[in-house]
């Protein structure tokens, strides 16, 4: 018999059902040994890393989304060039020119499943870096375009791919680093969209006036690559998320096989009413959201404003966009993220029908201009909140374990909706009266209807979030 034997003492069975083993033989000293804490993830280092993640993600969004949101400056320029002979855009309609920016914005989210899968399969920092390289090259290549389709291929398709990779890395990596202040963190990060548009719109307009639009594309391409490349170095998964991803990757025979494999949603999640409601809301909101942003400068021109003033309207709306995302993100942590998502979506619909639609009816008058300025401010404040609250709500509804796959698929769905909604809005501009505010009334009504429908879908999400097992309704206020 060994020096120390163990047997099970019935009296040693604890109340939780676990068994304590009693040893025969030399008993250890009853003197308490000093407690040595087990190695854990250092909280200070984690907080520091979280701050780096926020700063780097903000810079990525500031650069990539900011330039996309400033496309209205190019839209206005290309529209004017369409009226001149011998340009790449001669004879092109506003809808065809708008397709450049629409393709980019759509692919930014349509490529989400692939971007997320690559970040999990390889490395988020390298996926983001490669996307920044494509982003910068796309703008430089666009500067050599001589036909409309050249710009749709470079400033549209390639720019969209280059935006999707770093953007989806930022919005997928960052949420897992936060819990209680997740809404505020994502509000700060996605405020980069508004601040980027605020900065890039007047900068691009100034560059176009000084060095021409082709050199403006080259300069912005070079600067954007530097910003994204430097920010990509900080992109990394939160430790627990990384451990789960490493376990998934270990089961694969080869990581190269994952290049064209996307994370599939668990069927049990995909068939739920929550997923259907969230998908419907994402489609309706995305179909409406970007249309006013792209046509701010063009519509301002019909009210008698100059091209510079039109760029300033884009900057104004983007400034409100940034302020709204931060403040509303902070409030969402206190009031409930789903509650705030519904309220801001409904308010954005009311703002559109209350300010923009009447502005198109009154024509080029002082009253119409006042309504449009109000619309630009309040739409920037409230409509943009959906973008920052969307990923935070996904974690609450579907859980962190399903977040990456659900986030990727629903962002892809949003991209598809944008690809349809914005060109349809552009096609509704009546060419016969294209230089008057009344030409935009159908577009304004379409945006209003889509946003009201999105509000209904978000309310449905809110109700479904209260339904527990057995379809039992558990009434809660803060969600």
């Amino acid at each position: 018999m060994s020096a120390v034997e163990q047997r099970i003492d019935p009296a040693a069975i604890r109340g939780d059902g676990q068994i304590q083993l009693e040893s025969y033989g030399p008993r250890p000293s009853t003197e308490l040994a000093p407690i040595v804490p087990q190695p854990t993830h250092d909280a200070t280092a984690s907080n520091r890393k979280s701050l780096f993640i926020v700063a780097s993600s903000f810079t990525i969004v500031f650069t990539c989304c900011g330039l996309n949101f400033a496309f209205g400056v190019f839209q206005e320029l290309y529209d004017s060039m369409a009226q001149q002979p011998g340009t790449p855009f001669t004879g092109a309609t506003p809808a065809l020119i708008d397709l450049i920016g629409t393709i980019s914005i759509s692919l930014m989210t349509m490529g989400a499943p692939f971007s997320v899968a690559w970040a999990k399969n390889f490395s988020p920092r390298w996926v983001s870096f490669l996307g920044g390289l494509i982003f910068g090259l796309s703008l430089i290549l666009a500067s050599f375009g001589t036909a409309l389709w050249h710009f749709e291929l470079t400033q549209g398709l390639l720019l969209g791919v280059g935006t999707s990779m770093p953007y989806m890395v930022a919005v997928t990596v960052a949420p897992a680093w936060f819990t209680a202040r997740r809404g505020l963190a994502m509000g700060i990060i996605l405020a980069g969209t508004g601040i980027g548009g605020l900065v890039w719109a007047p900068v691009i307009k100034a560059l176009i006036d000084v060095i021409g639009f082709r050199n403006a594309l080259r300069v912005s391409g070079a600067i954007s690559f530097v910003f994204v490349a430097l920010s990509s170095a900080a992109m990394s998964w939160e430790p627990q998320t990384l451990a789960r991803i490493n376990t998934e990757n270990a089961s694969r025979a080869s990581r190269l096989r994952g290049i064209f494999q996307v994370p599939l949603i668990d069927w049990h999640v995909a068939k739920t009413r929550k997923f259907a409601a969230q998908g419907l809301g994402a489609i309706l909101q995305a179909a409406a959201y970007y249309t006013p942003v792209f046509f701010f400068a063009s519509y301002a021109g019909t009210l008698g404003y100059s091209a510079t003033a039109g760029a300033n309207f884009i900057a104004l709306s983007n400034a409100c966009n940034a302020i709204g995302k931060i403040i509303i993100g902070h409030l969402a942590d206190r009031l409930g993220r789903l509650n705030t998502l519904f309220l801001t979506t409904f308010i954005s619909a009311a703002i559109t029908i209350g300010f923009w639609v009447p502005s198109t009816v009154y024509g080029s008058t002082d009253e119409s201009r006042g309504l449009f300025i109000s619309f630009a401010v309040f739409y920037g404040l409230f409509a943009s909140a959906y973008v920052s609250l969307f990923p935070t709500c996904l974690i609450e509804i579907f859980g962190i374990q399903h977040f990456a796959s659900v986030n990727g698929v629903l962002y892809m769905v949003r991209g598809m909706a944008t690809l349809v909604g914005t060109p349809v809005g552009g096609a509704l501009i009546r060419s016969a009266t294209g230089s008057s505010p009344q030409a935009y009334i159908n577009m304004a009504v379409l945006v209003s209807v889509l946003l009201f429908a999105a509000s209904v879908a978000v309310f449905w999400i809110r109700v479904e979030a209260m339904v527990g097992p057995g379809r039992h309704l558990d009434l809660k206020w803060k969600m």
Side-chain angles (χ1 to χ4, degrees):
M1 184 177 294
S2 61
V4 178
E5 284 188 21
Q6 293 180 330
R7 71 173 175 83
I8 299 175
D9 184 352
I13 300 178
R14 302 195 318 222
D16 59 2
Q18 295 184 2
I19 298 174
Q20 292 178 320
L21 296 179
E22 182 176 323
S23 300
Y24 283 93
R27 289 183 176 272
S29 170
T30 57
E31 189 175 322
L32 291 176
I35 298 175
V36 180
Q38 295 297 316
T40 58
H41 184 62
D42 184 73
T44 303
S46 178
N47 291 337
R48 190 182 302 116
K49 180 64 177 178
S50 299
L51 293 176
F52 277 122
I53 290 289
V54 169
S56 299
S57 298
F58 170 86
T59 305
I60 287 172
V61 173
F62 167 87
T63 304
C64 297
C65 296
L67 273 166
N68 274 284
F69 269 55
F71 177 74
V73 177
F74 288 106
Q75 170 89 31
E76 193 279 334
L77 173 67
Y78 297 164
D79 281 345
S80 65
M81 293 175 68
Q83 309 302 318
Q84 305 168 9
T87 75
F89 310 99
T90 300
T93 64
L96 286 175
I97 293 173
D98 170 68
L99 197 58
I100 299 170
T102 301
I103 290 173
S104 177
I105 285 290
S106 300
L107 288 178
M108 177 181 80
T109 52
M110 285 176 65
F114 291 101
S115 299
V116 173
W118 294 337
K120 293 174 66 178
N121 203 32
F122 301 103
S123 164
R125 61 172 54 93
W126 284 111
V127 171
S128 181
F129 177 85
L130 180 59
L133 179 62
I134 296 172
F135 188 97
L137 284 175
S138 67
L139 292 173
I140 294 172
L141 290 173
S143 70
F144 297 99
T146 57
L148 176 61
W149 70 269
H150 295 165
F151 291 86
E152 290 174 343
L153 178 63
T154 54
Q155 199 175 1
L157 190 148
L158 280 179
L159 189 68
V161 173
T163 303
S164 177
M165 295 169 73
Y167 174 74
M168 287 311 305
V169 166
V171 299
T172 306
V173 165
W177 285 89
F178 299 90
T179 52
R181 297 181 180 178
R182 185 178 292 139
L184 176 60
M186 293 306 295
I188 293 172
I189 289 170
L190 290 168
T193 301
I195 296 176
L198 170 65
V199 172
W200 283 109
V203 166
I204 289 174
K205 183 65 179 67
L207 287 173
I208 290 173
D209 291 341
V210 174
I211 60 178
F213 85 96
R214 295 187 184 276
N215 284 328
L217 286 167
R218 292 162 191 157
V219 170
S220 59
I223 293 174
S224 62
F225 167 68
V226 173
F227 282 0
V228 176
L230 293 175
S231 301
S232 298
M235 292 291 102
S236 63
W237 296 108
E238 182 269 337
Q240 293 184 5
T241 304
L242 178 61
R244 187 166 55 250
I245 290 172
N246 287 338
T247 302
E248 294 175 8
N249 290 337
S251 63
R252 295 193 180 100
S254 171
R255 290 197 177 190
L256 292 178
R257 294 182 181 179
I259 293 179
F260 297 106
Q261 293 178 353
V262 298
L264 299 177
I265 299 179
D266 188 311
W267 173 244
H268 295 291
V269 174
K271 68 180 183 180
T272 61
R273 295 184 182 183
K274 292 178 183 178
F275 184 81
Q278 189 75 346
L280 180 62
I283 290 170
L284 293 169
Q285 201 275 345
Y289 176 56
Y290 294 103
T291 302
V293 175
F294 284 171
F295 285 92
F296 268 136
S298 297
Y299 181 72
T302 68
L303 295 175
Y305 291 106
S306 66
T308 301
N312 290 336
F313 274 115
I314 296 174
L316 172 65
S317 182
N318 282 319
C320 297
N321 176 315
I323 295 170
K325 283 177 179 173
I326 295 173
I327 294 176
I328 293 174
H330 177 64
L331 291 175
D333 289 332
R334 296 175 177 271
L335 301 178
R337 290 151 194 157
L338 282 172
N339 294 336
T340 310
L341 186 69
F342 167 71
L343 289 173
T344 53
T345 305
F346 180 80
I347 291 172
S348 64
I351 288 167
T352 305
I353 202 168
F355 292 113
W356 195 19
V357 172
S359 175
T360 64
V361 173
Y362 291 143
S364 186
T365 63
D366 289 340
E367 186 174 12
S368 181
R369 294 185 189 95
L371 287 169
F372 177 62
I373 293 172
S374 299
F375 171 68
V377 170
F378 290 112
Y379 189 82
L381 283 171
F382 291 99
S384 61
Y386 188 99
V387 179
S388 61
L389 294 174
F390 179 71
T392 66
C393 290
L394 293 184
I395 293 180
E396 295 192 9
I397 296 171
F398 302 105
I400 190 68
Q401 68 275 21
H402 298 296
F403 171 66
S405 59
V406 172
N407 192 47
V409 170
L410 288 183
Y411 263 108
M412 179 180 69
V413 167
R414 282 180 58 78
M416 292 177 177
T418 302
L419 189 60
V420 174
T422 306
V424 169
L428 289 176
I429 299 175
R430 296 196 297 271
S431 58
T433 55
S435 59
S436 69
Q438 287 88 347
Y440 289 78
I441 186 169
N442 291 336
M443 174 189 284
V445 170
L446 173 66
V447 172
S448 302
V449 171
L450 288 172
L451 288 175
F452 274 118
S455 302
V456 174
V458 174
F459 184 75
W460 179 22
I461 299 166
R462 176 67 175 78
V463 173
E464 288 296 329
M466 294 189 294
V467 177
R471 301 298 298 171
H472 174 71
L473 188 64
D474 183 14
L475 296 177
K476 298 178 182 177
W477 159 244
K478 184 178 179 180
M479 293 189 74

